[in-house]
Amino acid sequence: ASQRELLRLMGHSDVVESVAFRADGKLLASGSADRTIRVWELPSGRLSRTIRGHLERVSKVAFRGHSQIISGSSDETVRQWDLHSDDIHSRHPCEENVTNALFSADGSRLACRFVDGNVVVFDVLTWAEVLRFAGPSAGDPMAYDSRRNRVAVSAEDGSIELWTDGRRVRQFSGHAATIESLALSNDG
């Protein structure tokens, strides 16, 4: 079966670093090295809005519910944006560049991976640290299961580390190349 392009979204002036679908599939957010976040309506592909505010590339975007977007950037901030007003709902300075950010299923926690390998889980309402551990320093891929307080991260050597409650509980090896993506199953 041949594959065909369904939609091409044009608008960023530099490389797109991250994309995320809203849970209902009606919006797509894209974060770019051009320091902007663009929000696209689906299936039309119409540009709904362009969000500006980061000082460096936007390395990660994710939706929180239907009305907020979280973004991580090389400017060492994590920002939460209100989709209805483009206003910054909150801005949290970080000690390093953000390489990945994932919400808990209920949107109350945010797991962030930083360029130095640290992984920090924040309470989104207070930005208090719920969990912190030093994972491998190379790589972006991360998976987060808030129900079991588990995080999986990739390492430069092609291995995967599984952490529970901030302790490394297992390491998996066998990949001969860099790991590009990770996921944890919902059934444990």
Side-chain angles (χ1 to χ4, degrees):
S2 65
Q3 296 180 358
R4 66 181 178 89
E5 182 178 292
L6 297 176
L7 191 61
R8 182 177 297 220
L9 305 173
M10 306 292 287
H12 285 290
S13 63
D14 208 333
V15 175
V16 173
E17 301 280 343
S18 177
V19 296
F21 287 96
R22 194 168 72 178
D24 64 5
K26 293 182 179 180
L27 292 179
L28 176 84
S30 55
S32 170
D34 68 6
R35 303 184 314 249
T36 68
I37 300 162
R38 294 187 186 257
V39 182
W40 310 88
E41 294 176 4
L42 297 177
S44 71
R46 185 180 85 74
L47 179 63
S48 173
R49 62 183 32 94
T50 300
I51 301 171
R52 292 177 172 82
H54 279 293
L55 304 176
E56 298 290 335
R57 74 181 180 91
V58 178
S59 53
K60 183 66 179 179
V61 292
F63 281 94
R64 179 175 185 236
H66 279 68
S67 62
Q68 293 181 347
I69 291 178
I70 191 91
S71 58
S73 171
S74 296
D75 66 8
E76 299 181 2
T77 64
V78 174
R79 299 176 191 221
Q80 209 170 335
W81 307 89
D82 185 316
L83 273 177
H84 302 297
S85 67
D86 295 343
D87 289 337
I88 296 177
H89 183 270
S90 65
R91 177 183 178 275
H92 183 69
C94 303
E95 68 270 8
E96 286 289 339
N97 296 345
V98 178
T99 63
N100 206 334
L102 301 169
F103 277 111
S104 60
D106 66 0
S108 67
R109 293 187 177 184
L110 179 71
C112 292
R113 186 170 186 189
F114 299 95
V115 72
D116 65 358
N118 282 330
V119 174
V120 180
V121 178
F122 296 100
D123 177 292
V124 175
L125 295 177
T126 64
W127 287 107
E129 287 187 17
V130 176
L131 178 69
R132 174 186 281 266
F133 65 88
S137 62
D140 295 346
M142 175 177 71
Y144 175 46
D145 175 3
S146 60
R147 290 177 297 131
R148 293 181 181 82
N149 220 16
R150 296 185 311 168
V151 179
V153 293
S154 66
E156 190 172 46
D157 64 2
S159 65
I160 300 165
E161 296 182 1
L162 181 63
W163 295 73
T164 301
D165 296 320
R167 292 186 324 264
R168 189 172 80 170
V169 294
R170 186 136 185 225
Q171 184 169 4
F172 304 92
S173 58
H175 288 281
T178 303
I179 296 168
E180 299 293 333
S181 182
L182 289 172
L184 290 168
S185 69
N186 290 331
D187 61 1

